[in-house]
């Protein structure tokens, strides 16, 4: 992870969006029910990005994915999954939701506090990276109903319903740096010329 420079707000937000988009795309292409394999594919997809990831972005991905999973009824990982960080994030988030976000005086660790602790601990970078990939796979299970008929690739954004004109990052729902007109994220599109 990139820890040498303190991130600005936009850097953390853009890195969060890039992690979510890349992880989601990798997770959606996997066979349903193969969580270990899906997490491994997501981790491979995220590997080129990880050296630039700031702890704030990793923390936000952990919190967001755990919340998505719990909202979808996934409150625990299979017993065969040994990632303590991902397991704890799901358990804390499920407990927090079940308790209705308890008062600050309650003796319950907020999921965001645990995610911060994991993301900012230099000794836990490998475990955090694995947890980010795993929770991305859990939060974005394979969605075969979104596949195209020829290549088995997800072409439709579940957020806005738009198709993916660039084939890499998709619409602006998942990539805020993408052009809202054409979806290009290179900064060289001619929509604004």
């Amino acid at each position: 992870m990139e820890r040498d420079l303190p991130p600005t707000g936009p850097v953390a937000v853009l890195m969060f969006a890039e992690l979510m988009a890349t992880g989601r795309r990798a997770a959606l292409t996997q066979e349903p029910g193969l969580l270990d394999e899906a997490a491994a594919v997501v981790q491979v997809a995220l590997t080129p990005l990880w050296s630039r990831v700031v702890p704030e972005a990793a923390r936000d991905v952990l919190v967001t994915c755990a919340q998505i999973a719990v909202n979808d009824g996934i409150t625990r990982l299979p017993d065969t999954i040994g990632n303590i960080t991902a397991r704890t994030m799901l358990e804390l988030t499920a407990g927090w939701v079940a308790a209705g976000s308890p008062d600050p005086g309650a003796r319950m660790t907020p999921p965001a506090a645990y995610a911060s602790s994991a993301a900012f601990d230099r000794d836990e970078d490998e475990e955090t990276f694995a947890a980010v990939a795993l929770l991305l796979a859990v939060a974005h299970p394979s969605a075969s109903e979104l596949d195209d008929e020829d290549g088995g690739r997800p072409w439709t954004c579940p957020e806005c319903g738009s198709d993916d004109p660039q084939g890499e990052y998709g619409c602006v729902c998942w990539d805020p740096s993408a052009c809202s007109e054409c979806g290009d994220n290179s900064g060289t599109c001619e929509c604004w010329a």
Side-chain angles (χ1 to χ4, degrees):
M1 266 196 269
E2 173 59 62
R3 298 175 182 277
D4 294 336
L5 299 172
T8 62
V11 168
V13 169
L14 287 174
M15 184 52 61
F16 165 79
E18 194 169 359
L19 286 171
M20 291 293 288
T22 303
R24 179 181 173 275
R25 286 213 178 273
L28 286 176
T29 63
Q30 299 309 298
E31 291 294 321
L34 303 174
L35 186 56
D36 285 338
E37 291 179 25
V41 169
V42 171
Q43 194 163 1
V44 167
L46 296 180
T47 296
L49 305 174
W50 193 249
S51 65
R52 298 182 292 124
V53 172
V54 294
E56 290 83 356
R59 173 202 61 210
D60 293 347
V61 170
L62 289 171
V63 170
T64 301
C65 288
Q67 187 66 52
I68 290 170
V70 168
N71 288 346
D72 288 341
I74 302 167
T75 58
R76 49 179 256 149
L77 293 173
D79 293 336
T80 58
I81 306 290
N83 187 290
I84 295 169
T85 303
R87 181 177 303 283
T88 304
M89 278 302 301
L90 275 178
E91 290 171 1
L92 287 174
T93 303
W96 196 261
V97 168
S101 299
D103 295 330
R107 301 192 80 145
M108 186 176 220
T109 302
Y114 180 79
S116 288
S117 175
F120 284 90
D121 185 347
R122 290 175 189 268
D123 296 331
E124 296 295 324
D125 277 356
E126 188 175 324
E127 175 83 5
T128 301
F129 184 32
V132 164
L134 181 58
L135 286 178
L136 277 161
V138 169
H140 301 100
S142 176
S144 58
E145 69 275 3
L146 299 178
D147 290 350
D148 71 359
E149 294 176 295
D150 300 325
R153 295 168 292 187
W155 287 111
T156 306
C157 172
E159 297 293 318
C160 69
S162 76
D163 61 356
D164 175 7
Q166 299 301 311
E168 188 173 344
Y169 286 100
C171 68
V172 294
C173 292
W174 289 100
D175 184 8
S177 67
C179 172
S180 61
E181 295 295 317
C182 69
D184 182 37
N185 69 341
S186 67
T188 60
C189 73
E190 298 181 15
C191 294
W192 299 102

